[in-house]
Amino acid sequence: MGSRPLATPLWASLGVLGLLLVVAAGVGSVPIAAGEVVAAVGRGLWRAVAGPTAITTGLDAEATRVIDTIVWQIRLPRVALAALVGAALGLAGAGFQGVFRNPLADPYLLGAASGAGFAASLAMVSGGVFGLGALGVPLAAFVGAATTVALVVALARRGWSLPIVPLVLAGVVVGSCLAAGTSFVLLAAREQAAGVLTWLLGSLAFASWGRVGTLLPSVVVAGAVLIAAARSLDVLQLGERAAAQLGLRVEGLKLAVVAAGTLATAAAVSVAGVIGFVGLLVPHAVRLALGPDHRRLVPLSAVWGAGFMVLADLVARTVIAPAELPVGVVTALVGAPFFLLLLRRRVAP
Amino acid sequence: MIFTRSQLPSAMRRALLVAFACFGLAHAAWPVTVVDDLGRDVTLSAAPLRIVSLVPSHTETVCALAACGRLVGRDTWSDFPHEVRALPDVGTAFAPDLEAIVALRPDLVLVDEYSGAADALAPLGLVVYAGTPQRLDEVFGLIERFGRLLGAPTEAALLQGRLRGELDGVTAVVANRVGPTVFYEIDPSPYSVGPGGFIGTLIALAGGQNVVPAELGDFPLLDPEFVVAADPQVIVLADAPYGVDAASVAARPGWAGIAAVRGGRVVELTQEQSDVLSRPGPRMGEALQLLARILHPGAF
């Protein structure tokens, strides 16, 4: 049974992730003592259980309200959203690298990012789609990402089979087309260009519990599908023909993994924009550290992805506060050297 | 208390002024509701005393309404009037430091309509006004709305009057003069401005003939050939603070023959001049005077 080799690293990783979440919730541009943060978390939980009640604290009511707002409505949703986005991209990356049997595959390979970017920029320039207001851009991005991947799959399919090389090529071509479309939108609507660019670079600055809630179901579903497919992905690494001879329904697996990976990617992009490098880096890091077994790789990519994003976002919002680095810049700056280090360690001995 | 004859009038005047000011703040028909550019109702139950501005032109407008002292935070780019530089910097509208803003306990936050800052700030229990003027008449409308929101309708009326006077003063001087053709460069791509936008309207009011036609939009990216063919008599370099100068313009292929280059009328703006021209706010009279002096050097 495969649970024994998974258990130790999984629990250890979850422990580290928990620690990272606590640290990230405790740090921000407004200095709040650790005890106050813990007290604010406690007050929020108490209110959730006992309803809105007055709670006496050492501070005056106004200061308490400010701390509660910062902890509960700014930091916690942001940290939770970072973790979920990281988990989604880690899952999608592990799934795509497994199904394409290619180490360069990442969640955006089939055009999810450019599709989301094009749809989101159109939505922003046209001032929210169909009066959906704040919901418009995330919804447009999600639909754009999912539609693009569906189009790519439709272009590449041969009957009921999904050959890998045409799929990747179609993804690259459709992606380039849509990226050009996004550039055109940017040029045409210069007034909104700054907003569109910020979104394209990826940001968790506008995190909210609402966004956490919209992302969570997609991550859970995608995670369940990919974890269930883990053993089949292991078999697939023998090659499509060998896997088929062993009784694997290769085409069904490919479709399921692409669909689950796309769901996770589209959901992540829709709430946080296009954040690069996470989906590429994290599965590699897990593979280099713990080996290529997908039953470990898939769940640990989710956990490590979550931890990596929380860390990257913490760096993004603190190093040059009150200004903020685009979190995608941090994932690349932190991720690339770390990745090279792992690679060298792997190659050297 | 007994007043001497000479003290009485000034003391009374002062008392009356204070009374009127308090009356204005306390009784100016609160609560006040205005509609912002996102179509949201912005309601204040009392005059705001702790304002955070995330837009440089909003910062300028608040200060022009004599409410600079009520600002408690500003965005990174707000730098005028100079006293606002001492205020806490809370990031930019596109990446606001939300917790720093909440910690300032503002009773009014001023943002633009594009960045999404309003969607992030309003759920935190803050009163947010979202919207920026893009045209001259919208500046007057914004001043009126801010006057009501801030409980400073008199200041707003005075500011509108002053601006109207500044604009009319310039247009009266340039009215009967034939203005030169102008190319206004925002960056060396070259991006320019169309006649419909804020800067384009100022150019027209200052008597200049923009070489960019209206159908290209407010911020068109031009083919350099188009500028050579249009042969403007004046080139205004709003990108001069970023390293573009008259010499580098003359060195562009084909540009040496442009009338503005031959006539030595390539104008390099300073950063402050470029800010004045690009912020639709209380300094737009100054912006128009600046342009008019550039376009009609003999008239002022």
Side-chain angles (χ1 to χ4, degrees):
Chain A
M1 185 56 212
S3 72
R4 195 194 51 79
L6 173 62
T8 315
L10 182 63
W11 287 116
S13 303
L14 282 173
V16 172
L17 174 62
L19 210 64
L20 277 172
L21 290 172
V22 172
V23 170
V27 178
S29 63
V30 175
I32 303 176
E36 285 300 331
V37 175
V38 174
V41 172
R43 280 195 297 271
L45 292 176
W46 177 250
R47 280 196 200 94
V49 176
T53 49
I55 298 168
T56 46
T57 60
L59 302 165
D60 66 278
E62 180 67 8
T64 307
R65 196 187 56 76
V66 166
I67 290 177
D68 283 0
T69 304
I70 289 175
V71 170
W72 273 98
Q73 295 191 54
I74 298 173
R75 285 192 192 167
L76 288 180
R78 181 162 185 163
V79 169
L81 192 70
L84 274 180
V85 167
L89 294 174
L91 277 172
F96 278 27
Q97 286 175 13
V99 81
F100 291 119
R101 290 182 291 127
N102 186 324
L104 285 177
D106 86 342
Y108 306 136
L109 185 68
L110 298 184
S114 32
F118 181 62
S121 55
L122 272 185
M124 276 185 260
V125 167
S126 63
V129 189
F130 312 123
L132 287 173
L135 191 64
V137 172
L139 190 67
F142 185 89
V143 172
T147 312
T148 303
V149 176
L151 174 71
V152 166
V153 168
L155 285 173
R157 80 185 174 88
R158 300 279 181 276
W160 285 106
S161 82
L162 200 56
I164 292 298
V165 172
L167 186 60
V168 173
L169 284 176
V172 170
V173 171
V174 171
S176 306
C177 253
L178 290 170
T182 308
S183 302
F184 180 77
V185 172
L186 273 173
L187 290 181
R190 209 180 135 94
E191 209 167 63
Q192 288 107 318
V196 177
L197 265 180
T198 307
W199 189 91
L200 288 176
L201 284 172
S203 172
L204 295 158
F206 298 134
S208 67
W209 287 120
R211 291 191 175 190
V212 172
T214 55
L215 179 52
L216 186 62
S218 302
V219 176
V220 170
V221 169
V225 171
L226 290 171
I227 287 171
R231 189 183 283 269
S232 305
L233 281 172
D234 280 338
V235 177
L236 187 65
Q237 304 314 302
L238 300 170
E240 286 192 19
R241 189 171 297 172
Q245 281 163 357
L246 287 171
L248 189 69
R249 286 158 59 195
V250 174
E251 299 307 329
L253 174 70
K254 283 196 284 194
L255 211 56
V257 171
V258 166
T262 300
L263 175 66
T265 308
V269 169
S270 73
V271 295
V274 180
I275 297 171
F277 224 79
V278 183
L280 177 67
L281 165 93
V282 167
H284 275 291
V286 177
R287 206 178 287 117
L288 288 169
L290 297 164
D293 181 342
H294 279 86
R295 285 168 298 172
R296 277 182 174 183
L297 185 60
V298 171
L300 281 172
S301 289
V303 179
W304 286 31
F308 180 55
M309 268 312 290
V310 170
L311 201 61
D313 184 51
L314 181 62
V315 172
R317 64 190 163 94
T318 49
V319 279
I320 54 166
E324 212 171 88
L325 281 172
V327 71
V329 170
V330 179
T331 55
L333 280 181
V334 177
F338 177 68
F339 186 52
L340 288 176
L341 199 76
L342 275 173
L343 209 60
R344 279 198 63 83
R345 213 192 66 180
R346 180 76 171 182
V347 172
Chain B
M1 188 166 194
I2 297 165
F3 295 101
T4 65
R5 194 165 299 180
S6 64
Q7 279 173 326
L8 184 63
S10 79
M12 268 183 67
R13 201 162 49 224
R14 220 174 296 153
L16 274 175
L17 268 176
V18 170
F20 277 130
C22 290
F23 184 80
L25 277 179
H27 297 282
W30 302 100
V32 163
T33 298
V34 305
V35 179
D36 71 5
D37 289 2
L38 294 179
R40 305 173 322 133
D41 283 345
V42 181
T43 302
L44 285 171
S45 55
L49 299 174
R50 301 183 60 81
I51 304 170
V52 169
S53 166
L54 295 183
V55 183
S57 63
H58 286 348
T59 307
E60 294 188 16
T61 303
V62 169
C63 287
L65 295 174
C68 222
R70 293 198 249 161
L71 285 169
V72 293
R74 58 156 180 108
D75 73 303
T76 306
W77 312 121
S78 282
D79 54 3
F80 187 89
H82 295 289
E83 63 217 79
V84 303
R85 295 182 193 190
L87 292 170
D89 175 350
V90 294
T92 66
F94 292 102
D97 187 342
L98 297 177
E99 56 184 79
I101 294 171
V102 168
L104 288 169
R105 303 178 194 181
D107 44 21
L108 178 62
V109 186
L110 308 172
V111 304
D112 67 296
E113 66 272 45
Y114 300 118
S115 63
D119 290 330
L121 288 162
L124 302 177
L126 300 172
V127 179
V128 181
Y129 177 94
T132 47
Q134 310 297 337
R135 294 165 204 289
L136 267 69
D137 53 332
E138 289 174 5
V139 174
F140 284 97
L142 183 89
I143 289 170
E144 189 266 334
R145 259 170 282 163
F146 276 18
R148 286 169 55 208
L149 272 180
L150 270 55
T154 315
E155 286 83 351
L158 287 172
L159 177 59
Q160 285 179 329
R162 173 170 73 75
L163 276 176
R164 184 67 65 200
E166 286 172 1
L167 298 179
D168 288 349
V170 173
T171 47
V173 173
V174 301
N176 296 317
R177 293 171 176 269
V178 178
T181 52
V182 192
F183 170 65
Y184 190 98
E185 182 172 293
I186 293 179
D187 82 22
S189 300
Y191 269 102
S192 186
V193 294
F198 179 71
I199 298 170
T201 312
L202 287 177
I203 290 173
L205 276 181
Q209 302 170 51
N210 197 339
V211 295
V212 178
E215 59 266 25
L216 291 183
D218 286 353
F219 292 102
L221 173 59
L222 298 175
D223 181 347
E225 243 178 54
F226 171 88
V227 183
V228 173
D231 197 25
Q233 292 165 296
V234 176
I235 294 177
V236 179
L237 297 176
D239 49 5
Y242 307 106
V244 178
D245 58 18
S248 70
V249 167
R252 290 176 189 168
W255 285 49
I258 294 177
V261 176
R262 282 186 285 114
R265 295 190 69 185
V266 179
V267 182
E268 300 163 4
L269 296 184
T270 65
Q271 180 68 58
E272 174 147 11
Q273 289 172 331
S274 167
D275 287 346
V276 169
L277 279 162
S278 61
R279 290 181 189 172
R283 287 196 286 170
M284 67 182 183
E286 193 182 319
L288 185 60
Q289 288 160 358
L290 171 66
L291 270 179
R293 274 198 300 274
I294 289 170
L295 299 178
H296 308 276
F300 291 87

